[in-house]
Amino acid sequence: MSYILIFISAIFVNNIVLSQFLGICPFLGVSKKVDTALGMGGAVAFVMTLATVVTYLVQVYVLNPLGLQYLQTLAFILVIASLVQMVEIVLKKVSPSLYQALGIFLPLITTNCAVLGVAILVIQKDFNLMESVVYAFSTAIGFALALTVFAGLREQLALVNVPKGMRGMAVVLVTAGLLSLAFMGFSGVDGGLKILFGIE
């Protein structure tokens, strides 16, 4: 049942963008259209899950045994950047159509701090490998959900006559703030689920 709790909590309660404010750059930059947001969400889900598995193994089997925990951030950045480059090269050879569909999203993921944040968070939360994978995948779903909902709101905003002083980034930031407030409504859900499933 702890996996269900991790899953629901990562998507709604502790949403990586709207509660923890990681990955704001792609959230604001790639959210003009729903199609683009869905593409970015899918690419992040794949890379975040894969990167979390690899960084977890690096932490447990390389950094911890050698007493190099202080190199965690640097090692994780190098692993994530290398992983994205390898995925890009493999996709270009194996599936050119998928590579074309992802387009600029893959290089953008290299600089997405949400991927690095999740890799570090699973170590800080002391998750095992399976919990780490569930947490990474659910966090990516939460990221994609927030991105897609926000993109839908921005598409609707484009059709509305916004007051002159609020046009552009001002109305986008206000909308993001209101969406974040909406997600705060889920803040008691994880406590209720713990009671329901009898988890300490």
Side-chain angles (χ1 to χ4, degrees):
M1 290 304 170
S2 64
Y3 294 123
I4 295 170
L5 186 63
I6 290 169
F7 185 77
I8 292 170
S9 179
I11 295 173
F12 299 108
V13 182
N14 297 315
N15 188 286
I16 196 80
V17 181
L18 301 172
S19 296
Q20 300 180 51
F21 307 111
L22 292 171
I24 294 289
C25 184
F27 179 69
L28 294 174
V30 194
S31 59
K32 290 181 181 172
K33 294 192 175 186
V34 173
D35 294 345
T36 316
L38 285 169
M40 182 65 173
V44 166
F46 175 70
V47 172
M48 192 179 281
T49 308
L50 193 61
T52 302
V53 171
V54 175
T55 53
Y56 179 88
L57 296 174
V58 166
Q59 179 75 33
V60 172
Y61 295 108
V62 179
L63 299 180
N64 289 351
L66 298 174
L68 298 172
Q69 291 91 338
Y70 61 92
L71 290 175
Q72 183 191 64
T73 305
L74 183 64
F76 283 13
I77 288 169
L78 289 172
V79 166
I80 291 165
S82 306
L83 195 64
V84 170
Q85 288 301 313
M86 285 191 334
V87 167
E88 201 169 353
I89 291 165
V90 168
L91 278 179
K92 203 171 186 179
K93 294 278 184 194
V94 175
S95 178
S97 58
L98 183 60
Y99 175 76
Q100 289 293 329
L102 289 174
I104 196 159
F105 300 135
L106 276 174
L108 275 176
I109 293 167
T110 310
T111 58
N112 188 346
C113 62
V115 178
L116 177 63
V118 168
I120 292 172
L121 281 169
V122 296
I123 304 301
Q124 288 177 350
K125 289 175 184 280
D126 203 27
F127 284 157
N128 62 35
L129 183 59
M130 192 61 197
E131 288 171 338
S132 299
V133 170
V134 170
Y135 180 76
F137 185 68
S138 350
T139 300
I141 290 173
F143 178 84
L145 175 70
L147 197 64
T148 308
V149 169
F150 191 55
L153 290 171
R154 284 185 74 175
E155 281 186 357
Q156 291 301 311
L157 278 173
L159 305 173
V160 177
N161 187 18
V162 179
K164 196 173 181 182
M166 287 292 289
R167 286 181 190 156
M169 195 48 71
V171 74
V172 170
L173 291 173
V174 169
T175 307
L178 291 171
L179 188 59
S180 182
L181 283 172
F183 268 72
M184 279 181 67
F186 294 110
S187 60
V189 171
D190 60 341
L193 286 171
K194 283 180 183 176
I195 293 166
L196 183 66
F197 294 123
I199 299 168
E200 292 296 320

